Amino acid sequence: QVQLVESGGGSVQAGGSLRLSCAVSGSIFAINDMGWYRQDSGNQRELVARITSIGSTNYADSVKGRFTISKDTAKNTVYLQMNSLKPEDSAVYYCKSIVELGNRRTYQYWGQGTQVTVSS
């Protein structure tokens, strides 16, 4: 069973920082891709950042220069360092991972979500 466990969310004032973590566990063959998405109230879930198995990264324009995605391959963990936080960054943040299982097929899994609240 594949699980993605998120941590690091919380409340912070504008200009502050938070670091989110997402650990992947289970009977997996490989992790091909990991990323962070966020969803605020009734809005659609949007991509924040993602990182490939070879380390290539991609960011939403709204977070470029402020957020950094990274990973520790040995620990099957992805991080999202969030600096200079703004109230509009407030949302539930979800970790997503594309994993390859023993059957050599790839599947998409989501974390449980962690709340980030940025106050003025």
Side-chain angles (χ1 to χ4, degrees):
Q1 182 179 357
V2 176
Q3 297 184 57
L4 277 64
V5 180
E6 302 178 30
S7 62
S11 298
V12 65
Q13 290 189 307
S17 299
L18 287 172
R19 190 179 77 158
L20 307 183
S21 299
C22 176
V24 181
S25 64
S27 300
I28 59 177
F29 180 80
I31 300 175
N32 295 333
D33 184 86
M34 301 186 78
W36 290 96
Y37 295 73
R38 66 187 181 188
Q39 187 169 14
D40 182 13
S41 298
N43 296 325
Q44 294 187 5
R45 189 172 299 181
E46 65 176 358
L47 171 70
V48 177
R50 57 184 169 213
I51 186 168
T52 70
S53 60
I54 61 173
S56 299
T57 59
N58 189 31
Y59 297 91
D61 289 340
S62 60
V63 307
K64 287 182 179 178
R66 300 188 298 118
F67 291 10
T68 302
I69 187 170
S70 62
K71 64 178 181 179
D72 186 333
T73 302
K75 297 181 179 179
N76 290 338
T77 301
V78 64
Y79 306 93
L80 184 67
Q81 179 66 46
M82 304 184 292
N83 297 326
S84 301
L85 283 163
K86 305 175 181 179
E88 51 263 44
D89 294 319
S90 297
V92 177
Y93 284 70
Y94 296 90
C95 176
K96 187 192 78 174
S97 181
I98 299 175
V99 305
E100 186 175 337
L101 303 183
N103 59 6
R104 308 309 300 273
R105 295 170 65 93
T106 59
Y107 299 86
Q108 182 173 281
Y109 291 90
W110 291 91
Q112 80 279 11
T114 184
Q115 177 69 51
V116 171
T117 302
V118 184
S119 60
S120 300

